[in-house]
Amino acid sequence: MGTSRFEYIRKELCYKMMLPVGSSNFKATWRLAYYNPAKRDSDGNVVIRQGYSIQFLGYGISAMFIFQMILSKSYSLMIVPCIIFTAMTIFTIFFYKPKIIIINKNGIIFKGVEYNWKDYIGAFFFATTSRGQSAHGLVLIKADGKYVYLNILAIEQIDKIGTAIRDFQPENYKSLE
């Protein structure tokens, strides 16, 4: 499977996402890895979680409004940011399920589905930004030319994912450009 097939997959992904072909980047995952090995848990897995940055931003804004209401002695208006703060806390505790990607010697586990290394011939990152729209995905390619696209935009830790894949991937993945 040559470079032209990889180029075809890149163009097909752009077409499916209604993006201009020239706005995308398609690289082997190991090319975006850190120099140091990925940090593993006690089971030997690399676990990468979606960040809580949006929640922390919301909490910070709510806390700022609460603090401002206290300083201005507008205690009756303080109920609004308190309700927002409470609703965000309930959502985070009971309903928010962050995306998690687990990478180990057998393959990748994403959203409860396991993708074994032996079933694929390569792993690539697909990244594009066009007209304010972003897409970051992990593309696993099979020998017959079919592929699986994993939307990892919310995880935002491409270097860590690339490092973990580099550490666990089969030797034949390293020959991919």
Side-chain angles (χ1 to χ4, degrees), residues 129-145:
T129 302
S130 177
R131 299 181 307 250
Q133 181 182 2
S134 292
H136 297 288
L138 182 60
V139 180
L140 302 172
I141 302 173
K142 294 184 177 188
D144 63 0

Side-chain angles (χ1 to χ4, degrees), residues 30 32-37 157-163 166-167:
W30 62 270
L32 299 171
Y34 291 131
Y35 291 109
N36 299 331
Q157 298 177 19
I158 304 254
D159 296 337
K160 287 183 181 181
I161 294 171
T163 303
R166 180 207 56 206
D167 294 348

Side-chain angles (χ1 to χ4, degrees), residues 54-70:
I54 298 297
Q55 283 87 348
F56 288 130
L57 179 65
Y59 285 130
I61 291 171
S62 294
M64 184 178 67
F65 279 121
I66 291 170
F67 186 69
Q68 183 63 32
M69 299 293 173
I70 291 171

Side-chain angles (χ1 to χ4, degrees), residues 17-141:
M17 294 179 190
M18 293 185 271
L19 297 168
V21 175
S23 68
S24 67
N25 195 355
F26 200 69
K27 284 190 175 183
T29 53
W30 62 270
R31 292 204 171 272
L32 299 171
Y34 291 131
Y35 291 109
N36 299 331
K39 294 181 182 175
R40 300 177 187 190
D41 64 6
S42 59
D43 297 329
N45 300 323
V46 176
V47 180
I48 302 169
R49 300 178 192 286
Q50 177 181 355
Y52 288 94
S53 57
I54 298 297
Q55 283 87 348
F56 288 130
L57 179 65
Y59 285 130
I61 291 171
S62 294
M64 184 178 67
F65 279 121
I66 291 170
F67 186 69
Q68 183 63 32
M69 299 293 173
I70 291 171
L71 287 177
S72 65
K73 297 184 181 178
S74 302
Y75 300 117
S76 61
L77 294 176
M78 200 164 70
I79 191 75
V80 174
C82 286
I83 289 172
I84 293 171
F85 191 85
T86 304
M88 285 178 42
T89 303
I90 290 170
F91 175 78
T92 302
I93 292 172
F94 296 109
F95 301 106
Y96 180 69
K97 304 292 182 219
K99 289 184 180 177
I100 298 171
I101 187 167
I102 300 170
I103 303 167
N104 58 31
K105 63 182 179 178
N106 298 323
I108 298 170
I109 302 169
F110 184 66
K111 292 185 176 180
V113 178
E114 188 169 351
Y115 303 94
N116 292 315
W117 297 123
K118 62 182 171 141
D119 298 334
Y120 301 94
I121 62 165
F124 288 82
F125 279 122
F126 174 80
T128 184
T129 302
S130 177
R131 299 181 307 250
Q133 181 182 2
S134 292
H136 297 288
L138 182 60
V139 180
L140 302 172
I141 302 173

